[in-house]
Amino acid sequence: MGCSKWRAAFNFGHLKAQSKLSVFFTMILLFTYLFYCLSGYCDSAPRPVYVQQTSFQSKFLLSDGPEASSQQPDARNASRVSFVREQMPDLSPSNMSIANNFGSKKFPQAIIIGVKKGGTRALLEFLRIHPDVRAVGTEPHFFDRFYDKGLEWYRNLMPRTLEGQITMEKTPSYFITKEAPRRVYSMSRRTKLIVVVRDPVTRAVSDYTQTLTKSPGLPSFQNLVFHNSSTGLIDTSWSAVRIGIYAKHLENWLHFFPLPRLLFVSGERLVTDPAGEMGRVQDFLGLKRVVTDKHFYFNQTKGFPCLKKPEGSSRPRCLGKSKGRPHPQIPSEVLLRLRDFYRPFNLKFYQMTGQDFGWD
């Protein structure tokens, strides 16, 4: 009986000692964890991808933009942001993504920003042949109309891409939107920008033609293009005229993006030599030249190139009925006055881009 009491006392004491040891080791672990956290090492602990990116975006997204120099004048802050970008390039705004087994949604690395009735839809459709290009079919209008919805809303519009693929979108009105350059720059200063330009006189007539189909009661082209037909002064408040002053709009973009970040595609050459222009575009995007002359044929009825029949398809791919509409007859003297108006702006645009588009 005495042995039983002694054994029970021993077991109780042993359990009590084990309990104390457990508490002791638990306290050591807690103090060690607190020490590491206070030292800043907890930041390296793995967190959900989305949480990491949201935190990074809120702290560092605006530091890419020119306004950051006034908001963060402290040089130490600037160097810290630079260090983070160098050490964590995969968390830059252009690469932030929500990963899954079927690819991820990313901000576009390239955007076709203009111009309306220049050939942007044709360019996008030609690019979508490339296996390494994924693009939004409709125009998001994020940087001009829906910017208040936020970047996360914008990214969710993008198609999922795999490693090595490029995400793209096109919204031609970005080129003439004053706020768009700063907004795109705030998303990522490394965004590549493509501008499809066309003879501004022909472009204005094409723009008018499109509007006329939606509003048959529209005044004549000559009534809209002049402030007063007797004076011959061009009405630059009319959007069909204003869009074609390319040099003025380009100045806004060059405040934020250097010229090598922009590619200017000729809308005329996209019709006469689609493979040649597509070669330039693919080079600019860093893509292998997959889209070549074997993909195109010229549609005499529409008056522009179409894509040859893809494998598994019953017919070739041409742009819709809204493309290639016949233009209304415009008096030649009206077109000559408009061409004289655009000439100095065209010459300045040639000088700014280093390209002669041959419109004069």
Side-chain angles (χ1 to χ4, degrees), residues 109-110 127 133 166 168 192 194 263 280-287:
Q109 294 96 334
L127 272 171
V133 172
I166 291 178
M168 290 189 66
K192 293 183 178 181
I194 300 176
L263 178 71
R280 294 180 59 240
V281 174
Q282 290 170 97
D283 290 347
F284 174 70
L285 295 175
L287 297 169

Side-chain angles (χ1 to χ4, degrees), residues 297-358:
Y297 78 96
F298 192 82
N299 186 304
Q300 296 291 343
T301 303
K302 284 183 171 289
F304 55 74
C306 294
L307 298 171
K308 290 181 180 178
K309 183 176 72 171
E311 290 185 19
S313 176
S314 60
R315 58 181 179 178
R317 287 167 55 194
C318 275
L319 297 179
K321 295 179 180 179
S322 64
K323 308 299 179 182
R325 295 188 186 97
H327 291 176
Q329 288 294 321
I330 310 293
S332 58
E333 60 270 20
V334 173
L335 297 178
L336 285 173
R337 285 190 186 182
L338 191 56
R339 193 163 297 282
D340 289 340
F341 166 79
Y342 278 124
R343 185 169 291 109
F345 296 110
N346 290 343
L347 293 175
K348 185 177 180 181
F349 185 66
Y350 298 169
Q351 185 181 48
M352 294 171 75
T353 61
Q355 294 179 233
D356 185 341
F357 291 90

